[in-house]
Amino acid sequence: MLKTRLTLLTAAVLLPFTLIGTAAAGQVSQAQAKLFQVQLQLARSGDPNGEYYVGEMYQDGLGTPRDLHKAHQWYERAAHKGNPEAQLRLENWNTILQTITTEKQAKAAAAREAIQTQAAARARIEAKAKAEALAKKRAAAALAERRAQAAAAARKLARERAAAQAEARAQAVAMRKRKFAADKARAEAEARKRTQALAAAKVHAEQAAAAHAAKAAPAKTPPPKAPSHTHGFSTNPCKGPTAKFLSTCSG
C-alpha cells in the first residue's frame, strides 16, 4: 500500500514533465535525467505506473534519449499489469508512431527550412558584402579616375602656364629688341641731325667769318691812270675837266 502511494506521488511529480511534449526530445537535462532514474527504479521494482512513465519518457526522450522500442516494452509491462494509460498507448501505437514520424518529418522539414533560411541569409549577406565590395571598388576606381583627371588637368594647366610664360618672355624680349632698335634708330637720327646741324653751323660760321673778313679788309684802289693829253669825249663826265660844272657830279 505504501509502495502504491509512493508511485502515485512520483507520478504526480513527473506528470508536468510528461506534458513537455516532443519539443525537448533528444535533449537530456540534468533534472530530467535524475527524474528518469527515479522513475526507472520504480519501474524496475515492478510498479506499473513507473513502468508506464518510463515508457513515456523513452517515447518522448525526456531524461534519456528517445527509444521507441524500449518505450513499447515498458508499455507492454505496464499494460499487462492493468495500467489503462499503457493499454491506450498500445492500442494507439501505430498512430503514435505515425505522429512521431510526422513530427520527425516536420522537424526535418523545419530543419531543412532553417538550413535553407540560413543559407539564404548567408547568401544575402555574401551578396551584400560582394555588392558593398563592388561598390567600394567602383568608388575607388571613380576616385582614382577623378584624381587622374585632376592630375592631367593640373599638368595641362602647368603646360599652358609654362607656354604662356614662355610666350610672354619671348614677347618681352621682342619688345625690348624693338625698343632697342627704335632707340638706336632715334639716337642715330639725332646724331645725324646733330652732325648736320654742326656741319651747317660750321658752314654758316665759315660764311660769317668770310663775310666779316671781307668787310674788315681795306678796299683796293686801282692804280691812277696817266693823264691823257687828249681832250676827247670821256665816258664818265664826272671825271672830266667839266665835272665841277655839272650838278649831277657834285658831291
Side-chain angles (χ1 to χ4, degrees):
M1 187 69 177
L2 179 62
K3 183 177 179 181
T4 304
R5 289 179 180 177
L6 181 61
T7 302
L8 294 176
L9 178 62
T10 305
V13 173
L14 292 177
L15 184 58
F17 294 96
T18 63
L19 298 178
I20 296 176
T22 58
Q27 299 179 359
V28 179
S29 67
Q30 186 175 2
Q32 291 174 350
K34 289 181 179 180
L35 291 174
F36 175 77
Q37 293 299 325
V38 172
Q39 195 70 9
L40 184 62
Q41 290 178 1
L42 292 174
R44 286 175 177 173
S45 67
D47 182 78
N49 292 328
E51 293 171 346
Y52 166 76
Y53 284 120
V54 168
E56 187 179 46
M57 295 184 78
Y58 269 122
Q59 175 184 331
D60 295 336
L62 296 175
T64 183
R66 171 176 279 177
D67 191 330
L68 297 178
H69 179 69
K70 290 182 179 180
H72 190 270
Q73 288 179 344
W74 285 108
Y75 284 150
E76 285 182 339
R77 292 182 183 181
H80 290 162
K81 294 178 182 178
N83 185 285
E85 294 179 345
Q87 294 172 357
L88 183 61
R89 290 290 177 100
L90 292 177
E91 290 177 1
N92 298 321
W93 186 245
N94 290 332
T95 304
I96 292 173
L97 293 179
Q98 184 177 359
T99 302
I100 293 174
T101 302
T102 303
E103 290 176 355
K104 287 183 178 179
Q105 292 175 351
K107 288 181 179 179
R112 287 193 299 270
E113 184 177 358
I115 292 173
Q116 292 175 357
T117 302
Q118 292 176 356
R122 285 195 299 270
R124 287 193 298 270
I125 293 173
E126 292 176 356
K128 183 178 179 181
K130 288 180 179 179
E132 290 177 352
L134 182 60
K136 289 181 180 179
K137 185 177 180 181
R138 289 178 177 174
L143 178 61
E145 180 66 20
R146 289 195 297 271
R147 287 179 177 175
Q149 291 176 356
R155 289 193 296 269
K156 182 180 179 181
L157 180 60
R159 289 194 299 269
E160 291 176 352
R161 286 181 178 176
Q165 292 174 356
E167 184 178 359
R169 287 194 296 269
Q171 290 178 356
V173 171
M175 185 179 294
R176 287 195 296 269
K177 287 183 178 179
R178 289 193 297 270
K179 186 176 182 300
F180 178 77
D183 292 343
K184 183 178 180 182
R186 282 195 299 271
E188 291 177 352
E190 290 176 358
R192 286 194 298 271
K193 287 181 180 180
R194 286 194 297 271
T195 302
Q196 292 174 358
L198 290 174
K202 184 179 180 181
V203 171
H204 181 70
E206 290 177 352
Q207 291 177 351
H212 181 72
K215 288 180 179 181
K220 294 182 179 180
T221 57
K225 292 183 180 180
S228 178
H229 298 286
T230 62
H231 297 282
F233 180 78
S234 174
T235 58
N236 190 356
C238 293
K239 293 182 179 182
T242 63
K244 61 181 180 181
F245 302 106
L246 296 175
S247 60
T248 57
C249 296
S250 63

